[in-house]
Amino acid sequence: MPERYRSIIDVHVILERGQEILLLERQGTGYCDGMLHLPSGHLDEGETITDGAAREAHEEVGVRIDSADLRLVTVVHHRQRADLARVGMFFATSRWDGEPHNAEPHKCGKLLWCDPAVLPSNTIDYPAAGIASYLSNTPFTVHNW
């Protein structure tokens, strides 16, 4: 019997400030360094998806988010390469405690507040697909298949 399909679950957080969202410049990670991404990461074993999203936002940009303040805005089934797919859960919120700052300078060059409708050209395509779905109120997107 074939093994059941398994996928990595990613959690992404869209911090909304007026008409802008927060992006991070990756640095020193070996994956898309110099490119922009949302506060995000992998879901850890034993945590809920919303708790994972709140944890990643805290680890990367130092803000505390009540998981009840996160709204699921889209899901992206992303194919990273032929043998690796991921399911990205994209949450948005305009409520958090603390001022966003670079809490992981060994992984992040800088933070940028950007217009989500006009993303910088160096935005990684996977989160850009999630942001586009968020803007168009599309609940589910298949990307890079």
Side-chain angles (χ1 to χ4, degrees):
M1 175 176 252
E3 190 172 323
R4 288 182 185 225
Y5 175 78
R6 296 173 190 255
S7 185
I8 296 168
I9 304 295
D10 296 321
V11 290
H12 306 260
V13 179
I14 300 171
L15 294 178
E16 304 164 317
R17 184 181 75 178
Q19 299 301 310
E20 298 177 312
I21 64 170
L22 187 66
L23 296 176
L24 319 174
E25 182 186 60
R26 297 184 59 86
Q27 138 183 315
T29 67
Y31 172 73
C32 293
D33 290 336
M35 298 187 75
L36 302 174
H37 204 303
L38 293 164
S40 63
H42 307 124
L43 184 66
D44 286 347
E45 180 67 37
E47 70 183 346
T48 67
I49 290 173
T50 50
D51 286 347
R55 174 186 51 77
E56 285 291 348
H58 182 255
E59 287 176 2
E60 294 191 358
V61 297
V63 297
R64 295 211 178 269
I65 300 171
D66 183 329
S67 60
D69 289 329
L70 291 167
R71 14 181 246 294
L72 181 64
V73 294
T74 194
V75 175
V76 177
H77 192 199
H78 169 69
R79 188 173 197 158
Q80 189 164 335
R81 57 181 196 256
D83 64 337
L84 179 62
R86 316 170 86 83
V87 176
M89 312 297 285
F90 286 74
F91 293 92
T93 187
S94 59
R95 295 178 51 130
W96 61 83
D97 291 323
E99 184 62 30
H101 64 277
N102 184 355
E104 293 185 322
H106 58 289
K107 293 182 181 178
C108 177
K110 61 185 170 186
L111 307 182
L112 300 164
W113 288 100
C114 302
D115 179 344
V118 188
L119 292 174
S121 62
N122 63 331
T123 304
I124 299 169
D125 64 344
Y126 172 29
I131 293 166
S133 294
Y134 153 75
L135 290 174
S136 66
N137 295 311
T138 303
F140 174 73
T141 299
V142 174
H143 180 257
N144 212 31
W145 284 84

